[in-house]
Amino acid sequence: MSNNFVEELNRLGLTVEELNTDVVVVGGGGAASRAALSARLTGVDVLILAKAPLGTGGSTVHGASEIMSMGASGFGATADSPDVHYRDTMAAASGFIDRDLVRVLAEDAPKRIGDLIAYGVAFDRMKVEKVTPGNATDYKLIQSDFGSYARALGVSGKTGKAFVTALNEQAVKLGVKVRAPAGLVDLLLDAQGHAAGVLAFDASTHTWLVVHAKSVVLGTGGAHGLFSQQVSTSEMTGDGQAVLYRAGAELVNMEFHQFGPALVHPYVQLFSKSCFVLHPRMTNSQGHEFLPDYLPEGVSKNEVMDEKVFPFTVSNVSRYIDISIASEIAAGRGNARGTINFSLAHVPPEKLEATIPNTMRWMKANGIDPQKDSMDVGIAFQCMNGGVRMVDADARSTIPGVHVIGELAGGVRGPDRPGGNSLAEGQVFGHRAGHAAGLAARGGSVSPSVVGDAVIGRLQLALTPNPAFDVSSSVQRLQTAMQQHALVEKNEAGLNEALNVAFGIEASFAQGGGATLATLHKVLTIQNMATTASIILEACLERRETRSGHLRTDYMQRDDATYGHAFVQKRAKDGRSKFTPLKYPAAD
């Protein structure tokens, strides 16, 4: 019974608060904000739990580049359409993504843009005389990688922040309740294996929240905290992936993640093509301009810079930029921050302002003068392409009662994807998940019981004394291993080295987490980090080929015959991952 579960938490010495709601949405990014609003619009009570203060955490809020935007047809060329958007997406990842979900994405994206406009999002516009003849509107549109037409709409490079602000304002105005900062600890299930709510930790009051809910929507984001360099916020520590993996959920495409060059100090910003067409000077700690050292005969420095795409992919000649930066740092020729020196001092001021206006504005706000200052640039993790498998268009997972959205979800992102799709996915499936969860809650009831033995056991283990378990050193070792072995160039030896770090942390935790009541949430977080790191690393080891951003130096060729499909990844009885081929149908 749920009362017994709460009593068990109290016996552990935890301060517990019980909450009841129709729908609980865990996450504070664009997908979660959309889900909470859509659930509330069905007339049910909705509670948001966000690990960071609302509107301050997650990839959607912190993403920033010259081209951050949301892809949707209907606002540009009349020849563009949902069908063209669908085919662009399928062409980039056929065999690895669910065509039915991609069709929904392409068809619904224009509607969600319409919602955002209605909620006050002011997408960038062009002067009438500069609008491309035949375009349907005067919105400023970006033609992203793998896109046939310019169809992506943005808000001065801070598109995600504009989305989250507008959606949260609407949600709160309509009565959505918010508890933040409050992070996911575990999923609560009933005797039938159906979601009954979540256990969360309120960091501001040090209270453990037992949330009873009729429907659960998880949008906990990615795994940025697993890497020492990343372009979002470190509170995204793979919690949702780890919790659902332990609960038996299916994951897909976890070997595919996005990364690339990024400014990492004094602020964080990914550097896309618009920065590289300026032909920056990149030097190592010895002052040597290293890029030419990595270029094969017949390939010029200007060529790779002019062709730069973000994120990293082997399908483009610009891959040598990412490879060279990562290699110089790995060889010990980076600077003290684990970065290389990046200079635009030779570029005329007027060209900087014309080519990277948003970046220039952000640099000036952060005290950087690109005409004088050398910048620290590394290879930074951006987002996961894989995630917990969505089994239908309402973003249901394989665990009954749990919807998965945003970066946590898998099924519409494969090895490659058109730019602008990530924000579109969050809005499309965030809406669908929230709406479906709300409708289910209207006709459902809160489960009278919580089967919490596994959750209690995990907490007890974390509180078991173990002087050998050290959170800070574990985090540092894991981030270093993931940064070195799970980004640009991968091989079996390096992946196994990182996997041994992750498994070592989990093995040490199995002997006791050594937590006090004050540090319990931190110990549980590093366990989640190690679990999600092992999921990623095992998936990278399983794919013995090179494809898109997955570069295996020990398997340099693409192997469609053996690996031209996705894998379902599940936790086996021994705690390791079991992989089953998943051959998504090709485009219809």
Side-chain angles (χ1 to χ4, degrees):
M1 297 292 290
S2 59
N3 286 341
N4 292 339
F5 178 68
V6 173
E7 289 170 8
E8 289 294 327
L9 294 175
N10 286 327
R11 287 193 189 99
L12 293 175
L14 307 185
T15 300
V16 180
E17 180 181 350
E18 284 192 89
L19 301 170
N20 290 281
T21 188
D22 292 320
V23 176
V24 61
V25 178
V26 186
S33 300
R34 177 71 241 199
L37 174 57
S38 296
R40 181 60 180 158
L41 289 171
T42 67
V44 300
D45 290 334
V46 180
L47 172 66
I48 293 178
L49 302 175
K51 197 173 183 181
L54 194 64
T56 67
S59 295
T60 311
V61 172
H62 286 273
S65 79
E66 290 292 333
I67 59 172
M68 187 179 187
S69 52
M70 173 174 164
S73 62
F75 300 91
T78 54
D80 196 12
S81 67
D83 187 66
V84 176
H85 188 179
Y86 163 79
R87 297 192 182 282
D88 284 347
T89 304
M90 291 301 298
S94 183
F96 293 83
I97 52 178
D98 188 322
R99 69 183 184 187
D100 295 332
L101 299 184
V102 175
R103 179 70 74 181
V104 167
L105 168 68
E107 290 179 350
D108 283 10
K111 304 171 191 174
R112 303 290 76 85
I113 288 283
D115 291 344
L116 290 163
I117 293 171
Y119 296 145
V121 174
F123 288 103
D124 296 336
R125 293 179 179 269
M126 299 181 67
K127 293 180 179 180
V128 175
E129 61 271 17
K130 292 188 176 182
V131 175
T132 302
N135 272 15
T137 70
D138 64 349
Y139 286 111
K140 183 179 179 180
L141 302 171
I142 296 167
Q143 183 166 355
S144 304
D145 302 318
F146 302 103
S148 296
Y149 296 96
R151 69 167 69 96
L153 294 80
V155 185
S156 300
K158 288 282 191 177
T159 311
K161 177 69 172 177
F163 285 14
V164 171
T165 299
L167 292 168
N168 283 337
E169 287 178 357
Q170 287 293 318
V172 171
K173 184 168 69 175
L174 291 177
V176 169
K177 299 180 180 65
V178 179
R179 195 71 177 258
L184 177 69
V185 174
D186 228 317
L187 179 68
L188 303 181
L189 301 174
D190 64 17
Q192 288 71 47
H194 191 282
V198 298
L199 177 65
F201 177 72
D202 185 325
S204 63
T205 63
H206 292 272
T207 302
W208 297 79
L209 307 178
V210 176
V211 181
H212 303 282
K214 301 173 185 176
S215 297
V216 175
V217 181
L218 298 185
T220 52
H224 297 67
L226 275 59
F227 297 84
S228 55
Q229 294 178 4
Q230 46 85 20
V231 297
S232 188
T233 48
S234 60
E235 89 278 350
M236 286 189 291
T237 48
D239 299 319
Q241 291 86 344
V243 164
L244 292 179
Y245 179 73
R246 286 194 295 267
E250 293 182 0
L251 292 87
V252 65
N253 291 331
M254 289 298 289
E255 65 270 37
F256 298 118
H257 42 281
Q258 297 190 175
F259 49 86
L263 176 70
V264 299
H265 180 79
Y267 75 102
V268 177
Q269 179 198 334
L270 66 84
F271 277 174
S272 55
K273 181 175 183 175
S274 52
C275 292
F276 282 93
V277 296
L278 295 168
H279 298 173
R281 186 167 182 259
M282 299 191 302
T283 57
N284 60 23
S285 59
Q286 301 166 2
H288 175 61
E289 194 166 355
F290 55 82
L291 178 58
D293 301 342
Y294 294 85
L295 301 180
E297 187 176 352
V299 177
S300 70
K301 180 177 72 171
N302 288 353
E303 178 186 357
V304 298
M305 289 190 173
D306 288 341
E307 294 297 319
K308 183 70 182 98
V309 296
F310 193 105
F312 168 78
T313 175
V314 298
S315 61
N316 184 283
V317 72
S318 69
R319 62 187 178 274
Y320 295 111
I321 293 175
D322 307 70
I323 290 170
S324 67
I325 293 173
S327 297
E328 288 296 303
I329 294 168
R333 294 188 290 271
N335 60 31
R337 292 193 175 88
T339 56
I340 55 90
N341 305 307
F342 186 100
S343 176
L344 295 170
H346 57 289
V347 182
E350 60 274 13
K351 188 171 183 179
L352 290 172
E353 290 289 351
T355 309
I356 51 170
N358 294 323
T359 296
M360 289 295 291
R361 187 173 72 252
W362 300 329
M363 285 184 178
K364 289 176 182 177
N366 285 278
I368 296 176
D369 182 351
Q371 292 281 279
K372 298 178 181 179
D373 301 327
S374 178
M375 292 165 272
D376 292 329
V377 169
I379 299 297
F381 175 88
Q382 185 203 20
C383 72
M384 295 298 303
N385 275 359
V388 178
R389 189 167 75 90
M390 294 189 290
V391 299
D392 66 16
D394 291 329
R396 291 180 178 87
S397 71
T398 52
I399 296 179
V402 178
H403 302 258
V404 289
I405 55 174
E407 199 173 337
L408 173 62
V412 285
R413 300 183 304 276
D416 285 315
R417 62 175 174 82
N421 268 21
S422 185
L423 284 177
E425 293 158 18
Q427 293 305 297
V428 168
F429 295 106
H431 165 70
R432 282 179 162 268
H435 182 75
L439 293 181
R442 283 171 58 179
S445 59
V446 174
S447 176
S449 65
V450 170
V451 179
D453 292 350
V455 179
I456 295 297
R458 182 178 172 227
L459 295 171
Q460 289 173 330
L461 189 58
L463 289 164
T464 299
N466 182 0
F469 193 87
D470 182 80
V471 171
S472 296
S473 65
S474 296
V475 169
Q476 184 176 21
R477 286 187 293 115
L478 185 65
Q479 289 177 335
T480 299
M482 292 296 286
Q483 183 74 27
Q484 184 173 353
H485 299 299
L487 287 179
V488 182
E489 292 186 312
K490 308 176 184 74
N491 57 59
E492 185 171 353
L495 290 168
N496 275 320
E497 182 178 328
L499 188 59
N500 286 336
V501 173
F503 280 162
I505 293 169
E506 293 194 89
S508 182
F509 178 87
Q511 300 301 312
T516 65
L517 294 180
T519 63
L520 178 57
H521 65 290
K522 294 181 180 179
V523 170
L524 295 171
T525 296
I526 183 57
Q527 186 206 15
N528 283 344
M529 292 172 68
T531 298
T532 297
S534 68
I535 294 169
I536 294 169
L537 293 165
E538 286 187 283
C540 290
L541 281 164
E542 183 71 15
R543 183 165 295 281
R544 298 175 181 88
E545 66 158 354
T546 287
R547 183 184 298 267
S548 184
H550 179 70
L551 169 56
R552 286 286 299 262
T553 58
D554 46 354
Y555 295 97
M556 288 294 291
Q557 300 304 311
R558 173 167 160 166
D559 183 356
D560 288 333
T562 309
Y563 296 103
H565 54 74
F567 289 102
V568 166
Q569 185 174 1
K570 283 193 69 174
R571 187 174 186 268
K573 291 181 180 179
D574 64 359
R576 302 289 293 255
S577 289
K578 177 183 178 182
F579 294 90
T580 306
L582 176 60
K583 299 181 179 180
Y584 285 116
D588 52 12

